[in-house]
Every structure is written in structure tokens, then in C-alpha cells.
Amino acid sequence: MAIQLYDTLAGKKRTFVPLEDGKVRLYVCGPTVYDFAHLGHARCYVVWDVVLRHLRARGYEVKYVRNFTDVDDKIIRRGAERGEDPTALAARFADAFDEDMDALACLRPDAAPRVTGHMPEIVALIEQLVASGFAYAPGNGDVYFSVRKFPEYTRLSKRNLDDLVAGARVEPGEAKRDPLDFALWKGAKPGEPRWPSPWGEGRPGWHIECSAMTLAHLGAPIDIHAGGKDLVFPHHTNEIAQSVAAQGDGLEAERYSRYWMHNGFVQIDDEKMSKSLGNFFTVRQVLEKADGEALRFFLLGTHYRNDFNFSDTVLGEAERRLVYLYETVEKAERVAAGAAPGPATPLLARVREALDDDFNTAAVLGILAEAFTAANALADRKGKKSPEEKAALARFAEEAREVGRALGILERAPAAALVAIRDRAAARRGIDPAAVEARLAARAEARRAKDFARSDALRDELAAMGVAIMDGPSGTTWKVE
């Protein structure tokens, strides 16, 4: 089965056929780095990380580019508020973003261009647009794109041009010929970062930046351009217009990117989470309380095109499910120790089919749940395991790991993962692991002395703290209930 993906430009699922056999050029719009990444960013980049992983697993050689917008109105304002150089502020938050994405097991892109490193390319692209008549410089240092000269302007957003005109406005100081036109270059204002250009010192508009970086690192057309659905209009709409117009031959949107993909929002109380609304959680705030892999697991539980609500309750449930997965893999590997894997099961084929169908991670988690239930039943069955049963458990563990790699989960050693998740949960509940270990040591001593009343009392004391203990052949372990 070929990969089917939902193409926003077409408004339907399409069979994915790359421009070059066996190779994919993927561009994802990156963050504007004026603050720490929030959960909306986490959802976005975990989604495209799974797309990247699956494309590579299907044998494609993928060049993945994700940019940083490191000069922007928001960055300039935040720098002024904090008395910090905006370039230094953006660099600091770009580094923090990388750290947060690492914590979510997102693979690093092959290139992570920054706007400030591509000013010559941006200026050259604007010059092409001015020379071809698609852009104009009114003489005040600004340059604008003439929207009405691009006939496919509303094709991606499916919006009505008359409605856009009614909602458009000209800000004080702008010299647009038409309210729909958008800035490619902004003349320098006092105290702002600036770069030289044929129209005077200034800085680029937001939209031209991604076009220049895409063309510089991937050329045109590319295979897939992706980002959050809030970018459909105006950002991606404007990207298409300027990028296609600059090429000169034909004005079809596909001359810039063949497929356009967009992810849904994370919501709080059914309202989009965003910094501008102030109803957001940063990734770092969440990771103070929850394991990064648990957050990733939670984010994969909804199809990428759908919006969903965030809450501590559902995140906690995701963490418990992740613990269950790791416990099952650990149990299967322990019971099957030394056995060669048995025959392949339908698991990997079913997972690939779900991911081929517009990267349906929610369906994959459902398929995994079935496989893990069966593996637990087999591992927990009383009596000595036959060679065939051990082989089946060995195969399950191997296939579970492979599915995990496709999703970016289950890549840690089970024991280490369980301890890390447990300790984070303990910190969240105010439980001191050292105090737990001291009580477990005292309980073990009481059991050796056959002081079962003391042993039971210590178990009850731990239970009152919110700690469950498990006695097994390899010793006693504990977890937070």
C-alpha cells in the first residue's frame, strides 16, 4: 500500500508520490523563538517527527529542514521588555527549543536555518519579485507583494477574496497599494535590528523568510511543506504566492510544494492554546511533573489533524499506559530470555498500514494495546513456558520495539525508563525516593527476621504515602500509585 496523506491544497487524501524516486524533501515551519516552547509546539513537532520516522522506515531518503525565525516583531518587543539584545534573546530560546525537542525524542532536522543567516538570499528573492512586477517599493523603505497579481492566492486557504478584502486593513505608516498586499521588507525603525538592502536598511517580513530558506536548502518544488493549521492563512498562503511568483514560469501552487500538511491544535477548555491568549503551558513546565516520553505518548493519542484538550488527568493516564507498556516489554524479555524470536506476527504490517493511512498514530496505539494485552496474558499464564511460547514472547518484544521506533517511544531500557517515570511521579506527589528505599530496606530486614507484623506495617505505611510495592523473583520494586 502506498502512503496516503491529507493534502490541504487538494482538500482530500492523496497518494504520496515523491518528485524523485526514493527521496523526499520535507520542510516544516519552525518556531519564532521569543520564549520557551509550549505544548502547541510539542504537538506540532512530535507529529512531523513521526512523519519523518515513517518515511525513512518506508525506505525514503528524507532531507528534513526546519527553520528558526530569529528576527520578528515579537522577538524585538520581548527583547525591549527585558532589556536584552533581540538577537541574543532569540539565540538563547532557539537553544532551549532544541533541548525541549530532545526531551520529547524528536530527531534533529538535517538543517535548521535561521533567518539572520539568510539575509542575502532573502534580499535576492525580493529583488526577483520586484523585477518581475509581483512586488513594489513605494519609496518609504518597505516592499510589498501585489496579491491580486497571483491568481491562485486563495487556493490553499479556500477563503473568499472579497471576505479577505473586508477584513484587511492598512496600518499607520504603511504605503500599500491594496489592503491585501503584504510586506516583504520593512524599512528600519529606531532601535530595531537592520540589514542593508536596495530599498534601504531594514528587515524582512515574516513570510519571505521561509520561502528563502526553503529554496536555499531544498530548492523548488519540494515534496512536503508542513506546519500547524494556523499557518494555512496567511503564512503558507503568502509563501506559495511569493515563492511561485519568483520562479517565473507558470503560477501553479505545486511549483513550490507538491503536498501541504497541517496539524490541529492543543486546546485548554476547548480553546486553542497560545502564548497570545495566555492559556498555555510550556514544555518545561509539563516536564517538571511528567516524563518526556509520557508527554509524547499522550500527544500521539489523537490523529494529527484533530484538535484535542490537554489536562493533567489525561496526561497522567498516558503516563500509566506508558508504564504498562514498559512493564510488559520487560516481562516478555525476562520470560523469553535466551529464546530466538518466533515467526513474525501481523503486528508490523498492521502498524505500517495505519501509518500509511495519513499517519494515524491513534490507530497504531490501539493496535499496540491489543498486542500488549495478548503478550501479558501469555507471560502471566501459570506454569512453565514452552519453547514456542518463549519464542512468541521474544518476537513480541522485538516487534514492540520496532513499533516504538516508528513512534519515538519504547527506546529506553525498560528498567531505566520505569525508574525515571517513577521518580518523576514521586516528585510530583512529594514522595522522597530515599525515604521509600529506607522503608523497603527495613521491611526486607523484618522479613528476614520473620517479623511479619513489622513487615506488614511498613507495607501499609508505604501504601499510605501512595507507594505500591511489588515482590518478585529478582527482588522488590516500587511505583507511585
Side-chain angles (χ1 to χ4, degrees):
M1 174 181 173
I3 292 175
Q4 305 289 314
L5 58 81
Y6 187 88
D7 176 18
T8 309
L9 190 65
K12 62 181 181 181
K13 284 184 187 178
R14 294 176 57 205
T15 300
F16 177 64
V17 180
L19 287 156
E20 187 177 352
D21 189 40
K23 296 185 177 182
V24 177
R25 286 177 283 178
L26 168 65
Y27 186 91
V28 174
C29 281
T32 299
V33 281
Y34 66 99
D35 204 340
F36 291 113
H38 59 59
L39 281 182
H41 294 125
R43 202 292 170 93
C44 175
Y45 300 113
V46 165
V47 162
W48 307 124
D49 183 68
V50 171
V51 170
L52 171 68
R53 287 169 181 264
H54 186 57
L55 288 171
R56 286 178 173 166
R58 294 286 265 114
Y60 290 107
E61 180 186 331
V62 184
K63 184 173 182 182
Y64 171 36
V65 179
R66 186 191 67 214
N67 73 291
F68 285 111
T69 294
D70 62 345
V71 56
D72 177 84
D73 291 341
K74 294 176 181 177
I75 296 171
I76 292 168
R77 283 198 299 270
R78 184 59 55 85
E81 291 168 3
R82 298 187 175 186
E84 184 176 0
D85 175 73
T87 302
L89 179 138
R92 180 163 58 83
F93 282 122
D95 290 343
F97 175 86
D98 280 337
E99 292 171 1
D100 290 343
M101 294 306 107
D102 288 346
L104 295 175
C106 290
L107 303 174
R108 292 283 183 106
D110 298 296
R114 303 188 184 199
V115 174
T116 53
H118 290 75
M119 288 300 169
E121 293 91 341
I122 291 169
V123 170
L125 184 56
I126 298 172
E127 286 182 303
Q128 286 178 257
L129 291 166
V130 172
S132 62
F134 281 96
Y136 59 92
N140 65 345
D142 297 341
V143 181
Y144 296 98
F145 184 89
S146 296
V147 165
R148 293 183 191 274
K149 291 190 175 182
F150 189 74
E152 290 203 342
Y153 185 71
T154 60
R155 184 176 163 197
L156 181 71
S157 68
K158 315 294 189 292
R159 297 192 180 195
N160 181 284
L161 198 63
D162 291 335
D163 292 339
L164 295 179
V165 172
R169 63 181 182 178
V170 178
E171 299 290 343
E174 292 184 328
K176 297 179 181 179
R177 295 174 182 170
D178 188 311
L180 288 176
D181 296 346
F182 59 88
L184 300 172
W185 188 260
K186 299 179 179 182
K189 295 183 176 65
E192 290 188 350
R194 61 188 66 199
W195 289 264
S197 83
W199 317 283
E201 289 190 333
R203 58 187 174 89
W206 175 31
H207 315 297
I208 197 68
E209 301 167 350
C210 277
S211 290
M213 289 184 285
T214 302
L215 296 170
H217 290 271
L218 295 173
I222 66 172
D223 294 291
I224 300 172
H225 198 305
K229 69 178 183 180
D230 54 332
L231 299 184
V232 171
F233 183 85
H235 186 54
H236 287 166
T237 293
N238 291 350
E239 265 196 79
I240 290 172
Q242 63 204 12
S243 302
V244 173
Q247 295 180 60
D249 298 322
L251 296 177
E252 300 80 19
E254 288 86 355
R255 290 178 57 78
Y256 180 42
S257 180
R258 294 279 300 281
Y259 302 87
W260 289 82
M261 299 178 68
H262 296 91
N263 64 274
F265 297 137
V266 177
Q267 298 180 321
I268 305 295
D269 297 327
D270 297 312
E271 187 174 40
K272 177 199 168 188
M273 185 179 65
S274 71
K275 290 175 181 172
S276 60
L277 293 174
N279 64 340
F280 70 97
F281 297 98
T282 68
V283 173
R284 295 187 173 210
Q285 286 173 326
V286 176
L287 295 186
E288 287 176 0
K289 301 183 290 183
D291 182 78
E293 188 176 348
L295 175 56
R296 184 182 178 101
F297 185 82
F298 162 69
L299 295 171
L300 295 175
T302 302
H303 190 279
Y304 78 88
R305 286 192 283 117
N306 296 335
D307 299 341
F308 67 96
N309 273 319
F310 171 82
S311 73
D312 288 337
T313 300
V314 291
L315 178 58
E317 178 57 32
E319 189 169 82
R320 286 188 288 275
R321 291 295 300 172
L322 182 64
V323 167
Y324 165 78
L325 297 185
Y326 269 117
E327 288 177 340
T328 304
V329 170
E330 187 279 329
K331 186 190 305 178
E333 291 177 339
R334 173 167 40 82
V335 173
T345 75
L347 176 61
L348 296 181
R350 292 181 66 198
V351 166
R352 189 175 81 167
E353 183 178 358
L355 290 175
D356 278 351
D357 185 12
D358 200 26
F359 307 95
N360 194 341
T361 57
V364 172
L365 294 185
I367 294 166
L368 266 187
E370 295 173 16
F372 274 71
T373 297
N376 260 308
L378 177 56
D380 290 341
R381 189 184 59 78
K382 300 293 185 181
K384 185 178 180 181
K385 299 293 184 290
S386 69
E388 292 76 17
E389 288 172 326
K390 288 187 176 182
L393 287 170
R395 172 60 67 181
F396 160 77
E398 189 175 89
E399 291 182 344
R401 292 288 198 175
E402 189 165 341
V403 175
R405 283 192 292 275
L407 297 180
I409 61 173
L410 300 179
E411 297 189 277
R412 293 180 284 181
L418 290 169
V419 168
I421 296 170
R422 182 199 70 193
D423 288 352
R424 194 70 61 93
R428 187 166 64 240
R429 295 276 297 274
I431 298 170
D432 180 5
V436 174
E437 295 292 347
R439 285 169 173 79
L440 288 178
R443 177 175 175 268
E445 181 60 33
R447 294 181 75 187
R448 282 192 292 271
K450 300 190 184 301
D451 185 352
F452 298 115
R454 173 64 174 156
S455 171
D456 291 345
L458 287 164
R459 175 187 283 274
D460 293 343
E461 189 176 332
L462 287 165
M465 293 169 59
V467 172
I469 60 177
M470 294 78 67
D471 295 317
S474 57
T476 300
T477 58
W478 64 278
K479 65 181 179 181
V480 178
E481 292 185 310

